[in-house]
Amino acid sequence: MKYIPFILFTVLTNAAAQLMLKQGMMTLGPISMTAETAIVRLFQIVFNPWVFAGLATFVISMASHLYVLSKVELSFAYPFLSLAYVAVAVFAYFVFREDLNAWRIAGIALICAGTVLIAQSGISSDANDKPADAAGVSTAEFGSKS
């Protein structure tokens, strides 16, 4: 459970990146490209300050996620990323005035319930944080066996 703050940091940076990307695309307006303008338009998109910040935040989120994956099981850490949808939906409602209807709220509730269940399962990694091989045997245990 000591890696939950890192997992939540990953979730929040992922959600923040989505919000920045949306803001950037709103400032650019509807996108239309032709074969002649595709390269220029792509540069306009990528170097829009909001889009660029969103992409940079994704890099930070991914670095955090890689750190988490080096410490906990994928089947424990990955489902937490669904909480990014919860954060995005709530912030989009308040910031962008997007619809948050009963169906979306029900879906958010299910996501939250599922994440709580996964969090309750705990992390089955070794107390000494020794990495395990594909068979689940820590490298320290492997070295000590004959």
Side-chain angles (χ1 to χ4, degrees):
M1 293 298 229
K2 71 181 183 178
Y3 296 106
I4 296 291
F6 294 103
I7 293 171
L8 294 178
F9 176 79
T10 302
V11 168
L12 291 176
T13 51
N14 185 296
Q18 289 294 332
L19 295 167
M20 287 182 238
L21 292 173
K22 174 64 176 173
Q23 180 62 39
M25 295 312 293
M26 286 174 48
T27 62
L28 289 170
I31 300 296
S32 61
M33 284 190 256
T34 64
E36 296 83 29
T37 64
I39 300 290
V40 171
R41 195 66 174 144
L42 284 173
F43 275 100
Q44 288 174 336
I45 293 168
V46 170
F47 290 106
N48 171 283
W50 283 106
V51 173
F52 192 83
L55 294 173
T57 304
F58 262 135
V59 170
I60 293 166
S61 180
M62 185 54 62
S64 173
H65 188 59
L66 291 172
Y67 172 75
V68 167
L69 291 179
S70 75
K71 301 294 184 180
V72 301
E73 295 175 347
L74 177 62
S75 60
F76 178 81
Y78 189 70
F80 280 90
L81 291 179
S82 64
L83 290 177
Y85 173 77
V86 175
V88 167
V90 170
F91 279 105
Y93 173 78
F94 288 109
V95 175
F96 301 124
R97 304 288 180 225
E98 292 186 4
D99 186 33
L100 194 56
N101 59 37
W103 287 108
R104 289 183 185 176
I105 292 170
I108 287 169
L110 288 172
I111 290 169
C112 291
T115 305
V116 167
L117 291 173
I118 291 166
Q120 294 302 313
S121 74
I123 302 171
S124 67
S125 65
D126 196 40
N128 296 326
D129 292 329
K130 294 181 180 95
D133 66 7
V137 178
S138 79
T139 53
E141 292 172 357
F142 184 73
S144 65
K145 292 182 180 178
S146 349

